[in-house]
Amino acid sequence: MATVTGRVLRCNGLPHEHLFGRSDPYVVVKAIDSEGKEVGESRTPAKKGSDVEWAGDEAVFNFADVHFDGALEFRVWDKDLGPDDVLGQVVVPIKLICFEETELTLSLGINRKLNAAGKKTPNGTITISMKIDAHHHWL
């Protein structure tokens, strides 16, 4: 077992989901156990734009007692008047998280919708900073 701590720093190049105006992205971070069940959740406040940053402690996550075979899921949502839309997501296996604070920029996948040219486009990137602290009996 271990504790994973970190912070969502920014998202860049997010798709525009609103017909008029900018997206209002926020990030939901979920800790997932080895069986695929959610064991913790954290979320950032919504921001405006396709390139957004979260400062200070407003986007911190901390999951205690995560298992080495689990994962963290970072899902970027667009806040809407109706149901919120998923802009992109990435899953990071716990066993790939470093023991020292590390900044990672990860792809949020490819948009399923076709653009005006009939091509699929990237969903943008998410930049996170995180580390894992092993509990003494874990190693």
Side-chain angles (χ1 to χ4, degrees), residues 17-18 22-27 43-49 76-87:
E17 288 294 314
H18 295 290
R22 300 178 294 181
S23 295
D24 306 307
Y26 65 94
V27 180
R43 62 179 58 215
T44 69
K47 298 279 187 169
K48 287 219 179 275
V76 182
W77 292 85
D78 178 30
K79 189 157 185 60
D80 251 335
L81 294 176
D84 294 350
D85 300 313
V86 176
L87 296 177

Side-chain angles (χ1 to χ4, degrees), residues 81-139:
L81 294 176
D84 294 350
D85 300 313
V86 176
L87 296 177
Q89 70 179 33
V90 63
V91 176
V92 178
I94 299 293
K95 58 186 159 193
L96 295 182
I97 300 172
C98 296
F99 288 106
E100 293 186 18
E101 188 83 18
T102 304
E103 187 173 305
L104 303 166
T105 299
L106 304 166
S107 170
L108 292 168
I110 301 296
N111 197 331
R112 294 182 196 168
K113 299 175 187 174
L114 300 178
N115 65 12
K119 297 187 179 191
K120 294 182 180 180
T121 57
N123 285 335
T125 61
I126 185 170
T127 302
I128 52 181
S129 177
M130 63 182 166
K131 70 175 185 169
I132 191 167
D133 290 312
H135 299 176
H136 67 280
H137 61 277
W138 187 50
L139 295 175

